[in-house]
Amino acid sequence: MRITAFLCLLLSLSIAPAHAGDKPVVTLHTSKGDIRIELLPDRAPITVENFLNYAKSGFYDGTIFHRVIRRFVVQGGGFTADMAEKPNGEPIVNESKASRLSNQRWTVAMARTDDPNSARSQFFINLRMNLSLDARMGRDGYAVFGHVIDGQHVVRDISNVRTQRVGDFEDVPMEPIILERISISKASPATK
């Protein structure tokens, strides 16, 4: 009897949460190719909702990757090809401490100023283990909210372009790398 109850419990656990771990997936359609990112709403709900709201509104369409630092990050989501900053919404709360997600290679995090709660639309993809960007005791980090699941070669291609200084901005690609649009999939089977 106990074995039957135990087996029923195991069976229900293996069937019931089949879709509970599903996470939204976005595809960044860029001038260099597509990058697929699995979002982590269970760990960073405010940050994921913020990113999806910008994506659904078409805000990211036609923006560029304006900061490319080889073996560090590629950053985009806020400027047009002529380096004009797009008007943003309100800043969001930094979830770096609450989520306990680390800025590991291929993770995606929100860019911000020195104010931990200043993230709006800009995001970056980590090209290496950037643990110096994580939250530590007494210091907020950069909030991770997803990870690249396909298109790492595209991110590498972006990271290898030649860059230049444009006004106050360093590390701007000499040839604009356009984020043409973002498409959103309803869900993808959990990979982690």
Side-chain angles (χ1 to χ4, degrees):
M1 187 70 141
R2 286 184 178 171
I3 294 173
T4 305
F6 180 73
L7 289 174
C8 287
L9 176 64
L10 282 178
L11 183 60
S12 69
L13 289 174
S14 65
I15 293 172
H19 295 289
D22 291 353
K23 297 180 173 86
V25 172
V26 296
T27 302
L28 310 184
H29 301 278
T30 79
S31 56
K32 289 275 191 191
D34 291 350
I35 303 164
R36 291 183 67 230
I37 298 169
E38 182 181 62
L39 304 180
L40 305 169
D42 54 330
R43 302 287 295 277
I46 295 167
T47 310
V48 168
E49 181 181 10
N50 178 67
F51 180 83
L52 286 174
N53 286 339
Y54 279 110
K56 289 174 186 174
S57 74
F59 177 90
Y60 292 123
D61 299 359
T63 59
I64 61 167
F65 286 91
H66 65 276
R67 183 176 183 226
V68 173
I69 304 174
R70 187 175 290 143
R71 292 185 289 278
F72 182 52
V73 300
V74 298
Q75 180 175 331
F79 290 87
T80 62
D82 59 358
M83 290 303 292
E85 187 171 9
K86 292 186 80 168
N88 277 266
E90 292 299 313
I92 60 171
V93 172
N94 186 320
E95 293 181 293
S96 64
K97 286 182 179 176
S99 74
R100 297 183 175 208
L101 292 168
S102 181
N103 283 272
Q104 297 178 27
R105 187 177 193 204
W106 306 126
T107 57
V108 184
M110 292 304 293
R112 62 173 176 79
T113 65
D114 289 338
D115 176 356
N117 298 306
S118 62
R120 295 173 190 259
S121 67
Q122 292 183 40
F123 61 91
F124 60 89
I125 300 171
N126 286 293
L127 298 171
R128 67 175 188 199
M129 194 81 115
N130 285 322
L131 301 182
S132 64
L133 302 179
D134 290 349
R136 300 201 189 284
M137 194 167 326
R139 177 173 71 87
D140 288 291
Y142 290 78
V144 170
F145 65 96
H147 59 100
V148 176
I149 57 173
D150 189 32
Q152 290 90 343
H153 66 286
V154 175
V155 181
R156 264 192 230 101
D157 288 348
I158 293 170
S159 74
N160 287 322
V161 300
R162 293 183 62 203
T163 60
Q164 63 186 339
R165 183 178 187 87
V166 176
D168 292 335
F169 299 93
E170 294 183 26
D171 308 306
V172 177
M174 294 180 83
E175 181 181 326
I177 300 164
I178 310 294
L179 175 49
E180 296 162 350
R181 65 185 175 88
I182 295 180
S183 59
I184 304 166
S185 302
K186 290 187 180 181
S188 170
T191 57
K192 281 196 170 183

